[in-house]
Amino acid sequence: MKTNDLILQTITKIAIFIILAFSLHLFFAGHYTPGGGFIGGLMTAAALVLLLLAFDAKTVKKIFPFDFIKVAALGLLIAVLTGMGAFLFDVPFLTHTFGYFDIPILGHTGLATAVLFDIGVYLVVIGVTMTIIQTIGEDE
Amino acid sequence: MSLLHWAILSPFIMALFVPLFYKKFRSIHTGWFVLILPILLFIYFFQFIGDTMNGRNIIESVGWIPSIGINFVAYVDGLGLLFALLITGIGSLVILYSIYYLSKDKEAIHNFYVYLLMFMGAMLGVVLSDNVLVLYTFWELTSLSSFLLIGYWYQREKSRYGAQKSMLITVFGGLSMLAGFILLSIMTNTFSIREMISQVATLPEHTLFIPAMLLILLGAFTKSAQFPFHIWLPDAMEAPTPVSAYLHSATMVKAGIYLVARLSPIFAGSAEWFWIVSTVGIITLFWGSFTAVKQTDLKAILAFSTISQLGMIMSLLGLGSAALHYDHLDKNIYMAATVAAVFHLINHATFKGSLFMVVGIVDHETGTRDIRKLGGLMGIMPITFTLAVIGSFAMAGIPPFNGFLSKEMFFTGVVNAASLDIFNMQTWGALFPIIAWIASIFTFIYSMILVFKTFTGKYQPEKLDVKPHEAPIGMLIPPIILASLVIIFGPFANILSQSIIEPAMAAIQPSLLGENGSYHVHIYYWHGWNTELFMTIGVIAIGTLLFISLLKWSKVYDLFPKRLTLNNLYDGGLVALERSSFKINKFYMTGFIRDYLVMIFAFMIVLLMSALFVKDAFAFTTTNSAPIGIYEVVLTLVLLAGTITILFAKSRLTSIISLGVVGYSVSLFFVLFRAPDLALTQLIVETVSVALFLLCFYHLPELQIKPKSLKFRLPNLIISLGVGTLVTLLALSANGSKLFESISSYFVEASYKEAGGKNMVNVILVDFRGFDTLFEIAVLGIAALGIFAMIRLRLTRGKEG
């Protein structure tokens, strides 16, 4: 018997963008308001999980054709590299800096290298969560 | 590295080349190559006699671990030289003998010579080392090589048993000796024996003096097969006969004697030393000779005989230490005991070595060592018979052989001991000559058994596997040389006195040296009609009577219950040890994680609770406490309700849901205590973990689903209450005794100024403490990979399983 998930799928199509936008907001606002790489990553993963529930694993793979283990690895690599980037400026590992720039559309914005590190965290969390869920989900 | 060092180490170097000789020159018996070395060493050591006779001792030092004072100091004095000559001299003879004894085609002789050379080098190292730790190193090497030699025929179960037994006992002694050496070096602040001796005046007052002495004596007694540690020696007779002749009569078993003699200058003044050494020695003497009479195996007789003779030397060393208390006497009669010890040491090496070789010949030519099967070999093996007579009569103490002299000197020693007026010897001293005399009678009996049961009586060819005939000449040469020494050291004993015995005495009792710096030892072959001579006549008379009537009274040995022997004690002890350790292990290594958890928690409770109360660390103040609001109370009640539901839930599903309740109320606590990042994370993580729990629950195997509530177990209740109380107490005390201000004010100030962020939590996570975060995400990555690997790689594992 095939069930009809029309309502769920339609709502998902709308909700997923809201969730993704919220997760990106959480991530980018992390330096000033509650949020950050960890929660942002979990929230993004939650959006993917919703997609997984409403559709199926194949659809999710078609939309996001990533190997999530590699995503986690990439995140770790970014985190390590941002730490090592400090060496170029002859300062200790994981030393961060920040500055204020005038960017055309965003205006006067504070940019911190810590955000680069946070991207690493973000990617690792997405990769790890999705790997776990996909692995367990596909196991029968 | 001096020539002396190379000489000590040369057997080890030679041992490296033995397999090469064995492989390359298969037609020549490897022993011939090996033989050259001990002969050269013997000649080399022989030339030191001139030096030691004139009181010159040779010291050569080479750094080994100089930073902690461990140097390989080779030291040649009279005592060391005596042993070095015994080791190399008898070593040469034994190797010559073994060339004829061991077939080069049937035996793994390369192994044999490697072990034997290792042993020889180790033994030289023991007797020529001045540094106690170097001495210990060589000491253990002798144990190890002796283990290998006893187990030479490792296919036989008895060899392995004997090797293990000797290993366990001698290594036990060796380790306690090491402890004794360390105590000595703590007392004297040096590892050098000579420097220890120079500090001897202050040592006896030290509290560690007696423990050090006992531990070192334990090492000496186990190595020298003293009562009750003698049990390994008879079982070591499973070794090839050259090994028995070399290790278990002439050299290794005398290592303990050497140690006692070497450390006499340090310990000999004390009453404990006198009593322990002389009593253990005299008991060993008696027990060894008493037990030897009932043996039926020739080598077993010799083994017990060796035990008893070693006991005799040991007791003489003990009795000789009394001389130190009489240095005011012009003619110190108690010194005679030490002279007798040294003299008998030489004599025993000569006659016991030759006797072992004789027994080996008998074994080799007749195929048995059982005296019940042997007899009437006199006509067939005349030379062997002559050698056996010389050796046994020397052992029994019959003139004109050297054993007679040393026995007379031994009697002098014990008779003198009866006249001692120190250490309560007035009351007990008379026992020494009596026990010694009885033991000598038994010695006489087994010596006669050895000769007459083997070589006279009825010839029983039907009991022998091979047709006996006289041994090849090469096998006879070594015992002939030793037997000639037995005869020469009889009437001409004084050739030894100045060259060997006097320097050795100078090393054993240096504080008694006369004005001209040397002893004068003169051994009188004929010393008049005195007590000792009558004692010997008595020994021969009663011994002969008892030997003739042996069959009539030998049943007395059956009176002694077999269960109560020391061997049974050893075997039973070993089995009991294994069983009990198995039981103990089985008792606490149950294999159930819950039991280990109980242990861990119980240990934690006991340790921390006692620390809390012993140190009086419990502190509770309310000064830092914030006021409790209504929200906290409500949330705490919810939390408690969730927790209690988990504990008493009937089904797992209830527990999982309750756990979720607990998790969400914790996240509400975070909200309440103003930690938005934590609240967010907690909320999501709790959701994920509850989902995972549900997944686990869903996949539980059907058959084993038995929804039932937790069983009540009192110990678990006590332990969980204990842990809870403990953690609460610790948290309260930690809160109640804050030692310094928190560093959080720095983060509050610096997070915007220095890191450009207003979310302090996030700034700490990625900037101030980014290093932790880096490895936390690494942990997450590892977890994901782990889950992936566990689930995806299950198939291959299933195949292997």
Side-chain angles (χ1 to χ4, degrees), chain A residues 17-133:
Chain A
F17 290 103
I18 301 167
I19 298 173
L20 278 176
F22 180 57
S23 78
L24 284 176
H25 168 75
L26 274 176
F27 170 70
F28 280 114
H31 222 50
Y32 290 91
T33 55
F38 202 85
I39 302 159
L42 281 176
M43 201 55 87
T44 310
L48 298 185
V49 170
L50 181 62
L51 208 60
L52 208 61
L53 289 175
F55 297 93
D56 56 5
K58 269 185 191 163
T59 323
V60 175
K61 265 216 172 115
K62 208 187 277 170
I63 302 169
F64 296 98
F66 311 120
D67 184 347
F68 283 100
I69 289 186
K70 283 179 186 158
V71 171
L74 179 72
L76 267 177
L77 190 69
I78 290 172
V80 173
L81 283 180
T82 49
M84 281 167 64
F87 292 150
L88 296 177
F89 302 96
D90 205 20
V91 285
F93 185 65
L94 271 175
T95 308
H96 292 302
T97 184
F98 67 97
Y100 292 94
F101 304 95
D102 285 316
I103 295 168
I105 302 163
L106 297 170
H108 187 70
T109 316
L111 291 181
T113 52
V115 176
L116 292 174
F117 181 76
D118 234 6
I119 290 176
V121 178
Y122 177 75
L123 289 178
V124 170
V125 172
I126 296 175
V128 167
T129 318
M130 289 313 291
T131 307
I132 293 173
I133 288 169

Side-chain angles (χ1 to χ4, degrees), chain B residues 525-586:
Chain B
Y525 193 71
W526 174 249
H527 37 71
W529 294 98
N530 54 11
T531 329
E532 295 90 309
L533 192 64
F534 288 116
M535 281 170 85
T536 304
I537 292 169
V539 166
I540 295 175
I542 298 178
T544 315
L545 276 176
L546 284 176
F547 173 63
I548 293 166
S549 59
L550 186 64
L551 281 176
K552 296 196 177 102
W553 59 271
S554 59
K555 287 198 177 57
V556 83
Y557 284 106
D558 300 333
L559 292 177
F560 196 72
K562 279 214 163 69
R563 282 174 52 86
L564 289 176
T565 55
L566 283 164
N567 266 327
N568 272 335
L569 187 72
Y570 166 84
D571 291 336
L574 219 54
V575 171
L577 203 67
E578 278 173 19
R579 279 207 191 127
S580 53
S581 50
F582 180 73
K583 265 185 200 155
I584 291 170
N585 266 322
K586 218 179 156 188

Side-chain angles (χ1 to χ4, degrees), chain B residues 168-307:
Chain B
L168 286 176
I169 294 178
T170 55
V171 167
F172 160 71
L175 286 174
S176 43
M177 189 186 81
L178 174 65
F181 281 164
I182 290 169
L183 291 185
L184 259 186
S185 73
I186 290 170
M187 281 191 277
T188 57
N189 210 15
T190 175
F191 288 121
S192 160
I193 297 176
R194 279 175 304 123
E195 286 170 29
M196 286 172 183
I197 292 173
S198 68
Q199 300 179 25
V200 71
T202 57
L203 286 184
E205 282 90 58
H206 205 286
T207 44
L208 295 177
F209 183 73
I210 298 292
M213 184 173 86
L214 292 177
L215 287 168
I216 289 175
L217 279 180
L218 209 53
F221 288 166
T222 49
K223 197 74 159 182
S224 279
Q226 299 294 299
F227 189 87
F229 306 111
H230 65 276
I231 47 171
W232 65 267
L233 191 61
D235 285 303
M237 291 300 125
E238 291 302 321
T241 303
V243 173
S244 311
Y246 189 38
L247 273 69
H248 307 127
S249 72
T251 52
M252 189 182 83
V253 287
K254 294 206 170 96
I257 304 271
Y258 167 80
L259 193 72
V260 168
R262 173 58 84 202
L263 298 179
S264 274
I266 297 176
F267 295 113
S270 67
E272 290 86 355
W273 176 272
F274 171 85
W275 274 112
I276 297 171
V277 176
S278 48
T279 322
V280 169
I282 205 105
I283 293 171
T284 315
L285 164 66
F286 173 75
W287 188 247
S289 59
F290 179 71
T291 319
V293 175
K294 74 168 171 181
Q295 305 301 321
T296 52
D297 180 38
L298 287 174
K299 275 177 97 173
I301 296 179
L302 288 179
F304 281 105
S305 143
T306 303
I307 291 166

